[in-house]
Amino acid sequence: MSAMNYKGYSARIEYDDADEIFFGRIAGITDGVSFHADTVKDLKAAFHEAVNDYIQTCAAIGKQPQKSYSGQLMLRVSPEVHAAAARAAELSGKSLNAWGEEALKQAAV
């Protein structure tokens, strides 16, 4: 699996060996926007076309296009994990938000 980015949108890319095509879907939005192609070059063009079409379609129907994620994240964890994270943040001299963002950034790479 890999990803593509264009105009602030990201897509998860996969390959279907049976059909010998690459396919993707825009991530982080509830509207279903997908695309496919036989080559990487064509897949990139199909992704750009899908994003542009999504934005144009939203404008035509008077809908605001969704963007991926607001930057606010609510997590539910056990009290023990919460306490351990709070201690680790305090010991590193950071707020829990700053410490958590750093930990998530490192894990998401």
Side-chain angles (χ1 to χ4, degrees), residues 26 33-35 45-55:
I26 295 178
V33 181
S34 59
F35 52 94
F47 174 46
H48 290 194
E49 181 180 341
V51 169
N52 291 334
D53 184 56
Y54 173 65
I55 293 169

Side-chain angles (χ1 to χ4, degrees), residues 25-102:
R25 178 181 169 96
I26 295 178
I29 64 173
T30 57
D31 295 322
V33 181
S34 59
F35 52 94
H36 69 276
D38 296 334
T39 68
V40 173
K41 181 179 178 181
D42 289 344
L43 184 71
K44 187 173 186 178
F47 174 46
H48 290 194
E49 181 180 341
V51 169
N52 291 334
D53 184 56
Y54 173 65
I55 293 169
Q56 290 170 358
T57 299
C58 286
I61 63 173
K63 175 183 175 180
Q64 190 71 11
Q66 294 178 347
K67 282 289 192 174
S68 299
Y69 309 106
S70 67
Q72 297 180 357
L73 176 67
M74 168 91 68
L75 296 174
R76 296 191 192 282
V77 297
S78 71
E80 296 80 17
V81 169
H82 190 173
R87 274 192 306 275
E90 184 177 350
L91 290 171
S92 69
K94 298 177 182 167
S95 70
L96 184 54
N97 281 339
W99 182 87
E101 180 177 5
E102 185 177 297

